[in-house]
Each structure stands twice: as structure tokens, then as C-alpha cells.
Amino acid sequence: MSAPVSAPIDVAQQLRVERFLYEEAALLDAYRLTEWLALVTDDVVYRMPVALPDEPPSSPRSEVERSLMHFEDDHGGLSVRVARLGSKAAWSEQPRPLLRRAITNVRVYPGEDGQLDVRSNFLLYQYQHAAPVDLLAGARNDVLCRSGEGFRIRRRTIELDQRVLVTRSIGVLF
Amino acid sequence: MESPPSTSESPLELDALWQEHGELDPRVYDDPSIHALEQEHVFGRSWLLLTHESCLSEPGRYVTTTMAEDPVVVTRDADGSIHAFLNQCRHRGVPICRHEAGRARSFTCSYHGWTYDGRGRLLTVPDEAQLFRCPLDRDTWSAIPVPRIETRHGLVFGSWDPQMPSLEEWLGDARWYFDLAFDRPGGTEAVPGVSRRRLAANWKFGAEQFTSDDYHFSFTHVSGNTAMQSQRPEGVEVPNALKLPISLMHTEQGHGMGFLSSIDHTPVVFGDPRIHQWVTGPRLEYLISKYGKRAREVFPIHMNFFPNTAGLWPCELRVWQPRGPGQMEVWSWALIDRAAPSEVKDALRVDFQRTFGASGVFEIDDSHHWREAQRLLGGWQTRRHRFNVQLDGRAEGLPEPELTAAPSERGARHFHRRWTQMIQAKQAQGGAR
């Protein structure tokens, strides 16, 4: 998705969206996940596809939609993850890793039914034990719907810039 | 064997790595000289999973993978047959093919342009007539072929050993269980995409756990299980996955499987009711017609076929790829029954991804423990003291039965015994028959 750079920009809306994404990122970094879960809609679709081979796609779009995913969650699936991550027996998170993410390159486009299509980039740093630096880069393609003065996430598709995953864990949320 | 490092560790004696009363030398997980022996004597003399047939859906399709650490190209030829060859140019050793998958009639090395056909045979060499004194002998200078390829229920295996027994013989007493795990009405297809992840742990931590470890479940997976219980949708029964009636199959060849002793228990495993209806309906009828009524009493949950081909409920095929002594890559496919309704296919895929996919609520804690065990092995003391593999042990000299109730580590003992025999280049007892 893109728009000509000369397209008019709604500065107030851009700032509102950025602020929402920054506050959301702060909740994820701090493992305040129950609060985070309140920011997604009941019909949320949350996905991270497995990168397919870099050949021209020969299969129709509908099949690509059914490709393997690292995440393919609805609200129930995300609730299970949040419940697990909140458990003292979530061993992979003991000791709790230090997470720090930067959300950048935020671009806001008009979507369907007054919703917003929002693209952003992320860098997620994870530290658990003294180990090689664990840095994940990628992009998120969100559909945000308005909710009062703020927004809620209706759809999130995460594009992780790794083909073979090389990280402590992708058991956290993005 | 290379000389052991000059420390005060006990010398590395291969036949002492595994002791029959159930003690294992931790150096099997991280010693570079053992790793080198393992590549040759274990992975060089085994059947190794290459891919699934559906990833080579038509002539000209290829995938690249590794057999242990050796890169190979796997192709489907014009006549439909499957071939594999070492992905290394014979001229200066550069990869012949740099892509993960695709379609090609020939492969040209990007360094000097040597070109190989779909079977790895050397086709053309730039300016060959002018630059080489005589035409290069094609039998000598073609890509190194994988001499043995066999396919069973869509799983494509290769072996470097021309003398290997057939795959059927290799599976031995575990063959019937393998068939039950992978034979499906109408066959299977792999969902597009291979999940691959690097893990800082030796491959044997995973292989051994999938062979026979149900013991870890109630501790390791308590957070995932509790979360699934507490978040279950209204009216959906999700009985406690920690209390499954699991039986274990294990063989002297090192293969092992944990299975539900009644198909009626399938809804307790993360159950989507549509999956239950399919596996207890059309799929079960098919399996009973081919494998007899006992198919009702064997519902595969976790398995490892020696050395590194694994499977897991609900639909996962996985291979543990070694990457040096202290690292592995886990490669996973979702294998779906071709004849299943599309909503069942979706449910199987989603169930796998949420439980034992790379981010799955159970997988995350397994990976964590393998990584943690490996992390400690850089020490001096941590490598000196043997690990305990004695759960459900029997007195020395008694034959171990083929089946036991979980938890039991008999399968792990078979695994380590077979592995130790193989790295000493000894013919494993009960191996080729």
C-alpha cells in the first residue's frame, strides 16, 4: 500500500494514530497484556505468515491465504496467549526478558467503512541471558477502527524479516 | 577418533557415553569430535527426511534442504521420479542452487557457470572444448547424487548409504505405527510454507523428547495447558491435556511413539470438535480397513523415527536439522488430509500453529528447556556428571517390552543405545534385518 507523497495529510489524525501505537507498544514491552487485549476488537484477525519461497507466486491468492503461519489467532487464540504469558509458569519468560521496541515509519491510509489502514515498521529487542543480541525487524499492516477518542485493532498482519527464525522466542506479541 | 581436549574431564571413550543402567554422558550434546562422528556414522547411514511429495507437485519442481548439515537439491524429473544431489558445484564448491524452492530444468552455478540437469548430471561447462584438455568425464564430475530415495505416504526420504536396508526394513517394528501416523484417505498435502527456526540446542534434545518423554508434560506445559483450560469457549469441553492415557511404543532401532490408547480420547487434545468428527469418522474407517481394528486403539500423539524425523498431533511433520554441536534448526510442515472438508483442513492447521508451531503455547516452553540445558554445557563441572535416563527402568538383562504405559524412558534408552552403537560404526542390534 502506498500513496503519493503529495497527498494531503491529516496531521491530527496522524498524531492520534502514532500515539495509539506508541502506547500500545509500551503495554507490550511491559507485559501489561490484559490491558493490551482490551485494545483489540472481538473479531480481531492476528497473523504472522511464514515467508514463502521467493519465487513468483503460482497459486491463486486464496491459497496463499491458507499458507502456514507463525500466528493465526482470533480473540480466543490471543486470550490463551495472554493468559499463558501472565502465568508464573510461563518458563520461557522466566526470568522475564527485557523487551524494547521501536515503532516507526507510520503511514495512515483511509480504509473501508471509515476504518484506517496503518502500516508501521518495528524493531523489537529482547534480552534474557547474556547472549547474542536478539533483534527482530519487520512491518505491521493494521486495520484500526475508531473507538471513542481512540482506536482498536481489528486486523494485524505481521511481516517478520526472517526466513529461518533466529531469535530467543517469538512467543511474545508483536 | 580425535584426541579429547586436554582437561581433567574423563577421556572421551565412545562406548562409555551411554551406560545400560540409564546414564548418559552430557558431552553427547556438545562435543565437536562427537558431532563429526555423528555426521558420518549416524546421519550418513540413516534414512533422512527430505521433503513431502506435495512440495514437488509437478515435473521440474525442486526444493533445497539439508541432510543433517549437507545441502541437497531435491527435484521431480520429467518422468515424475524424485532425485536428490549434493548442492555443491564440483568445480569450486559453491552452491549450485541458491533458492529455497522453485521450478527449473537445469541449475547453473553462479561462479563459473557449470550447469547441471535435474538429476545433478553435469550438462555444460563454459568454453569446455577450448579451456579443458579433454572433455570432462560426466560420470566423474556430475553433482554427487543421493544414491537412495524412497517415498512412503508422501514423505520423501534419502540416504547417503548405497547399502541401506529398505525404508520398510529400517522402520522395522515401528512400521505399522509410522503408517498409522502418515497414511490418510486420499493422501496428504503440505500447507504451503515450511516453518524453520534456529535453536541453540543439540538436535538430540528434541528427538529424544519426541521419542518417549511424556514425563515433562505436567511441569513444562502447565502454563499452556492452564491457559487453554481457562480460555475455553462457552460449552466446549477441553478436558485436562495433562492427564491423557498415553501408551508408548519403542523399538530397539531407536524409533518411538506416544499414542492415545483409544481414539475416543481425541477431543481431549486441544479439541476442535470438527477435527474429532473427522479423525473418528472417515479417517478412522479408512485406517481400520487397511490396518485392522487395532487402529482404534492407537491414536499417534508424538513420535520420532530414528534419527531425526518427527511427528506430532494434530498434523505436524518435523525434522531436527543439526547445525553444529550446539545448534539445530527445526523444520515443520503441516500435513493435511487431502480428503478432509476444508473447514477441517483449516482447523488442523490452526490447531498446530497455536500449540506446537514456532510461537505455540506448548512449543515455546519445550524450546526454552532444550536451550537452557545446552546453555549450561559450556562449563567444566556441567559436562562431567552423567544425566539420569532411568525412569521406568528394569533390571539389567531383561528384555524390554515393545509397549509400556507413559511415563517411561525406555524409548529414550533405546534411542541413546542405538546412537552410541552407530557412532562407534557398529551395526546396531536389530537394525538391518
mmCIF file of all heavy atoms in Angstrom, chain B residues 89-114:
data_model
loop_
_atom_site.group_PDB
_atom_site.id
_atom_site.type_symbol
_atom_site.label_atom_id
_atom_site.label_comp_id
_atom_site.label_asym_id
_atom_site.label_seq_id
_atom_site.Cartn_x
_atom_site.Cartn_y
_atom_site.Cartn_z
ATOM 1 N N CYS B 89 28.814 -27.266 -6.229
ATOM 2 C CA CYS B 89 29.410 -27.384 -7.561
ATOM 3 C C CYS B 89 30.724 -28.153 -7.471
ATOM 4 O O CYS B 89 31.527 -27.945 -6.563
ATOM 5 C CB CYS B 89 29.633 -25.998 -8.153
ATOM 6 S SG CYS B 89 30.289 -26.078 -9.832
ATOM 7 N N ARG B 90 30.943 -29.057 -8.424
ATOM 8 C CA ARG B 90 32.144 -29.901 -8.411
ATOM 9 C C ARG B 90 33.401 -29.123 -8.768
ATOM 10 O O ARG B 90 34.512 -29.611 -8.595
ATOM 11 C CB ARG B 90 31.953 -31.075 -9.389
ATOM 12 C CG ARG B 90 30.840 -32.032 -9.038
ATOM 13 C CD ARG B 90 31.000 -32.680 -7.664
ATOM 14 N NE ARG B 90 32.321 -33.270 -7.437
ATOM 15 C CZ ARG B 90 32.725 -34.440 -7.928
ATOM 16 N NH1 ARG B 90 31.904 -35.170 -8.651
ATOM 17 N NH2 ARG B 90 33.931 -34.896 -7.693
ATOM 18 N N HIS B 91 33.252 -27.909 -9.283
ATOM 19 C CA HIS B 91 34.413 -27.137 -9.719
ATOM 20 C C HIS B 91 35.086 -26.425 -8.542
ATOM 21 O O HIS B 91 36.224 -26.709 -8.211
ATOM 22 C CB HIS B 91 33.958 -26.141 -10.792
ATOM 23 C CG HIS B 91 35.064 -25.276 -11.322
ATOM 24 N ND1 HIS B 91 34.932 -23.910 -11.451
ATOM 25 C CD2 HIS B 91 36.306 -25.578 -11.753
ATOM 26 C CE1 HIS B 91 36.057 -23.414 -11.948
ATOM 27 N NE2 HIS B 91 36.914 -24.410 -12.141
ATOM 28 N N ARG B 92 34.357 -25.536 -7.847
ATOM 29 C CA ARG B 92 34.949 -24.825 -6.721
ATOM 30 C C ARG B 92 34.033 -24.791 -5.493
ATOM 31 O O ARG B 92 34.198 -23.948 -4.616
ATOM 32 C CB ARG B 92 35.308 -23.392 -7.105
ATOM 33 C CG ARG B 92 36.562 -23.249 -7.924
ATOM 34 C CD ARG B 92 37.833 -23.697 -7.186
ATOM 35 N NE ARG B 92 38.999 -23.375 -7.983
ATOM 36 C CZ ARG B 92 39.409 -24.080 -9.023
ATOM 37 N NH1 ARG B 92 38.744 -25.158 -9.397
ATOM 38 N NH2 ARG B 92 40.470 -23.713 -9.698
ATOM 39 N N GLY B 93 33.046 -25.682 -5.491
ATOM 40 C CA GLY B 93 32.324 -25.891 -4.241
ATOM 41 C C GLY B 93 31.290 -24.865 -3.845
ATOM 42 O O GLY B 93 30.896 -24.796 -2.689
ATOM 43 N N VAL B 94 30.841 -24.057 -4.792
ATOM 44 C CA VAL B 94 29.804 -23.056 -4.498
ATOM 45 C C VAL B 94 28.430 -23.737 -4.602
ATOM 46 O O VAL B 94 28.289 -24.717 -5.337
ATOM 47 C CB VAL B 94 29.962 -21.888 -5.516
ATOM 48 C CG1 VAL B 94 28.755 -20.981 -5.551
ATOM 49 C CG2 VAL B 94 31.236 -21.110 -5.200
ATOM 50 N N PRO B 95 27.414 -23.252 -3.879
ATOM 51 C CA PRO B 95 26.086 -23.853 -4.056
ATOM 52 C C PRO B 95 25.631 -23.794 -5.515
ATOM 53 O O PRO B 95 25.765 -22.756 -6.171
ATOM 54 C CB PRO B 95 25.163 -22.985 -3.181
ATOM 55 C CG PRO B 95 26.067 -22.356 -2.188
ATOM 56 C CD PRO B 95 27.414 -22.202 -2.851
ATOM 57 N N ILE B 96 25.078 -24.897 -5.981
ATOM 58 C CA ILE B 96 24.589 -24.945 -7.359
ATOM 59 C C ILE B 96 23.265 -24.197 -7.454
ATOM 60 O O ILE B 96 22.984 -23.518 -8.425
ATOM 61 C CB ILE B 96 24.410 -26.413 -7.818
ATOM 62 C CG1 ILE B 96 25.772 -27.119 -7.832
ATOM 63 C CG2 ILE B 96 23.725 -26.490 -9.171
ATOM 64 C CD1 ILE B 96 25.677 -28.637 -7.964
ATOM 65 N N CYS B 97 22.441 -24.328 -6.416
ATOM 66 C CA CYS B 97 21.128 -23.684 -6.392
ATOM 67 C C CYS B 97 21.023 -22.875 -5.106
ATOM 68 O O CYS B 97 21.300 -23.381 -4.026
ATOM 69 C CB CYS B 97 20.021 -24.741 -6.457
ATOM 70 S SG CYS B 97 18.378 -24.052 -6.253
ATOM 71 N N ARG B 98 20.631 -21.603 -5.224
ATOM 72 C CA ARG B 98 20.572 -20.726 -4.056
ATOM 73 C C ARG B 98 19.150 -20.451 -3.586
ATOM 74 O O ARG B 98 18.939 -19.625 -2.709
ATOM 75 C CB ARG B 98 21.231 -19.391 -4.384
ATOM 76 C CG ARG B 98 22.711 -19.491 -4.601
ATOM 77 C CD ARG B 98 23.229 -18.251 -5.305
ATOM 78 N NE ARG B 98 24.659 -18.373 -5.545
ATOM 79 C CZ ARG B 98 25.577 -18.003 -4.659
ATOM 80 N NH1 ARG B 98 25.211 -17.515 -3.502
ATOM 81 N NH2 ARG B 98 26.857 -18.155 -4.927
ATOM 82 N N HIS B 99 18.172 -21.077 -4.196
ATOM 83 C CA HIS B 99 16.779 -20.784 -3.847
ATOM 84 C C HIS B 99 16.211 -21.865 -2.938
ATOM 85 O O HIS B 99 16.717 -22.984 -2.902
ATOM 86 C CB HIS B 99 15.937 -20.657 -5.110
ATOM 87 C CG HIS B 99 16.421 -19.569 -6.019
ATOM 88 N ND1 HIS B 99 16.165 -18.246 -5.780
ATOM 89 C CD2 HIS B 99 17.187 -19.618 -7.133
ATOM 90 C CE1 HIS B 99 16.745 -17.504 -6.722
ATOM 91 N NE2 HIS B 99 17.367 -18.318 -7.553
ATOM 92 N N GLU B 100 15.140 -21.523 -2.231
ATOM 93 C CA GLU B 100 14.519 -22.486 -1.324
ATOM 94 C C GLU B 100 13.646 -23.473 -2.083
ATOM 95 O O GLU B 100 13.493 -24.624 -1.672
ATOM 96 C CB GLU B 100 13.663 -21.746 -0.288
ATOM 97 C CG GLU B 100 14.502 -20.899 0.662
ATOM 98 C CD GLU B 100 13.665 -19.964 1.505
ATOM 99 O OE1 GLU B 100 12.426 -20.056 1.466
ATOM 100 O OE2 GLU B 100 14.262 -19.125 2.202
ATOM 101 N N ALA B 101 13.039 -23.005 -3.163
ATOM 102 C CA ALA B 101 12.144 -23.855 -3.938
ATOM 103 C C ALA B 101 11.864 -23.163 -5.247
ATOM 104 O O ALA B 101 12.104 -21.961 -5.384
ATOM 105 C CB ALA B 101 10.828 -24.077 -3.183
ATOM 106 N N GLY B 102 11.367 -23.889 -6.210
ATOM 107 C CA GLY B 102 11.028 -23.273 -7.477
ATOM 108 C C GLY B 102 10.823 -24.306 -8.556
ATOM 109 O O GLY B 102 10.492 -25.466 -8.277
ATOM 110 N N ARG B 103 11.028 -23.861 -9.794
ATOM 111 C CA ARG B 103 10.840 -24.742 -10.935
ATOM 112 C C ARG B 103 12.017 -24.503 -11.874
ATOM 113 O O ARG B 103 12.342 -23.351 -12.158
ATOM 114 C CB ARG B 103 9.527 -24.387 -11.631
ATOM 115 C CG ARG B 103 9.012 -25.453 -12.557
ATOM 116 C CD ARG B 103 7.935 -24.894 -13.450
ATOM 117 N NE ARG B 103 6.974 -24.054 -12.745
ATOM 118 C CZ ARG B 103 5.667 -24.288 -12.755
ATOM 119 N NH1 ARG B 103 5.189 -25.322 -13.381
ATOM 120 N NH2 ARG B 103 4.851 -23.465 -12.140
ATOM 121 N N ALA B 104 12.679 -25.548 -12.296
ATOM 122 C CA ALA B 104 13.839 -25.378 -13.172
ATOM 123 C C ALA B 104 14.100 -26.665 -13.934
ATOM 124 O O ALA B 104 13.837 -27.758 -13.439
ATOM 125 C CB ALA B 104 15.077 -25.006 -12.351
ATOM 126 N N ARG B 105 14.621 -26.531 -15.163
ATOM 127 C CA ARG B 105 15.061 -27.712 -15.920
ATOM 128 C C ARG B 105 16.523 -28.001 -15.644
ATOM 129 O O ARG B 105 16.979 -29.124 -15.748
ATOM 130 C CB ARG B 105 14.888 -27.458 -17.413
ATOM 131 C CG ARG B 105 13.465 -27.673 -17.857
ATOM 132 C CD ARG B 105 13.398 -27.921 -19.360
ATOM 133 N NE ARG B 105 12.047 -27.635 -19.796
ATOM 134 C CZ ARG B 105 11.747 -26.831 -20.787
ATOM 135 N NH1 ARG B 105 12.694 -26.248 -21.489
ATOM 136 N NH2 ARG B 105 10.492 -26.607 -21.098
ATOM 137 N N SER B 106 17.268 -26.929 -15.347
ATOM 138 C CA SER B 106 18.692 -27.113 -15.072
ATOM 139 C C SER B 106 19.126 -26.079 -14.038
ATOM 140 O O SER B 106 18.385 -25.133 -13.745
ATOM 141 C CB SER B 106 19.497 -26.954 -16.360
ATOM 142 O OG SER B 106 19.312 -25.638 -16.866
ATOM 143 N N PHE B 107 20.310 -26.299 -13.481
ATOM 144 C CA PHE B 107 20.823 -25.428 -12.428
ATOM 145 C C PHE B 107 22.222 -24.966 -12.831
ATOM 146 O O PHE B 107 23.086 -25.792 -13.139
ATOM 147 C CB PHE B 107 20.902 -26.188 -11.103
ATOM 148 C CG PHE B 107 19.565 -26.708 -10.647
ATOM 149 C CD1 PHE B 107 19.131 -27.974 -11.031
ATOM 150 C CD2 PHE B 107 18.736 -25.929 -9.856
ATOM 151 C CE1 PHE B 107 17.899 -28.456 -10.626
ATOM 152 C CE2 PHE B 107 17.498 -26.400 -9.444
ATOM 153 C CZ PHE B 107 17.069 -27.667 -9.832
ATOM 154 N N THR B 108 22.432 -23.662 -12.852
ATOM 155 C CA THR B 108 23.722 -23.123 -13.267
ATOM 156 C C THR B 108 24.411 -22.476 -12.079
ATOM 157 O O THR B 108 23.852 -21.590 -11.428
ATOM 158 C CB THR B 108 23.538 -22.086 -14.391
ATOM 159 O OG1 THR B 108 22.901 -22.743 -15.490
ATOM 160 C CG2 THR B 108 24.873 -21.517 -14.843
ATOM 161 N N CYS B 109 25.626 -22.932 -11.801
ATOM 162 C CA CYS B 109 26.404 -22.346 -10.724
ATOM 163 C C CYS B 109 26.750 -20.907 -11.094
ATOM 164 O O CYS B 109 27.182 -20.633 -12.209
ATOM 165 C CB CYS B 109 27.668 -23.169 -10.486
ATOM 166 S SG CYS B 109 28.769 -22.410 -9.274
ATOM 167 N N SER B 110 26.572 -19.984 -10.146
ATOM 168 C CA SER B 110 26.758 -18.572 -10.462
ATOM 169 C C SER B 110 28.240 -18.171 -10.502
ATOM 170 O O SER B 110 28.568 -17.065 -10.902
ATOM 171 C CB SER B 110 26.023 -17.715 -9.426
ATOM 172 O OG SER B 110 26.490 -18.018 -8.123
ATOM 173 N N TYR B 111 29.154 -19.064 -10.109
ATOM 174 C CA TYR B 111 30.573 -18.695 -10.027
ATOM 175 C C TYR B 111 31.222 -18.772 -11.420
ATOM 176 O O TYR B 111 31.688 -17.776 -11.956
ATOM 177 C CB TYR B 111 31.244 -19.630 -9.018
ATOM 178 C CG TYR B 111 32.617 -19.197 -8.519
ATOM 179 C CD1 TYR B 111 33.198 -17.984 -8.880
ATOM 180 C CD2 TYR B 111 33.322 -20.028 -7.648
ATOM 181 C CE1 TYR B 111 34.439 -17.613 -8.393
ATOM 182 C CE2 TYR B 111 34.567 -19.660 -7.156
ATOM 183 C CZ TYR B 111 35.133 -18.446 -7.543
ATOM 184 O OH TYR B 111 36.357 -18.093 -7.057
ATOM 185 N N HIS B 112 31.249 -19.969 -12.023
ATOM 186 C CA HIS B 112 31.857 -20.107 -13.351
ATOM 187 C C HIS B 112 30.895 -20.642 -14.398
ATOM 188 O O HIS B 112 31.274 -20.865 -15.537
ATOM 189 C CB HIS B 112 33.071 -21.042 -13.300
ATOM 190 C CG HIS B 112 34.148 -20.597 -12.362
ATOM 191 N ND1 HIS B 112 34.155 -20.948 -11.026
ATOM 192 C CD2 HIS B 112 35.236 -19.809 -12.547
ATOM 193 C CE1 HIS B 112 35.220 -20.407 -10.439
ATOM 194 N NE2 HIS B 112 35.896 -19.718 -11.330
ATOM 195 N N GLY B 113 29.674 -20.905 -13.993
ATOM 196 C CA GLY B 113 28.659 -21.251 -14.970
ATOM 197 C C GLY B 113 28.523 -22.729 -15.312
ATOM 198 O O GLY B 113 27.903 -23.075 -16.310
ATOM 199 N N TRP B 114 29.090 -23.605 -14.489
ATOM 200 C CA TRP B 114 28.838 -25.036 -14.721
ATOM 201 C C TRP B 114 27.339 -25.290 -14.537
ATOM 202 O O TRP B 114 26.733 -24.807 -13.581
ATOM 203 C CB TRP B 114 29.638 -25.908 -13.734
ATOM 204 C CG TRP B 114 31.117 -25.981 -14.054
ATOM 205 C CD1 TRP B 114 31.883 -25.017 -14.629
ATOM 206 C CD2 TRP B 114 31.982 -27.097 -13.789
ATOM 207 N NE1 TRP B 114 33.182 -25.449 -14.741
ATOM 208 C CE2 TRP B 114 33.269 -26.728 -14.237
ATOM 209 C CE3 TRP B 114 31.806 -28.366 -13.228
ATOM 210 C CZ2 TRP B 114 34.366 -27.582 -14.125
ATOM 211 C CZ3 TRP B 114 32.894 -29.208 -13.120
ATOM 212 C CH2 TRP B 114 34.162 -28.819 -13.573
#
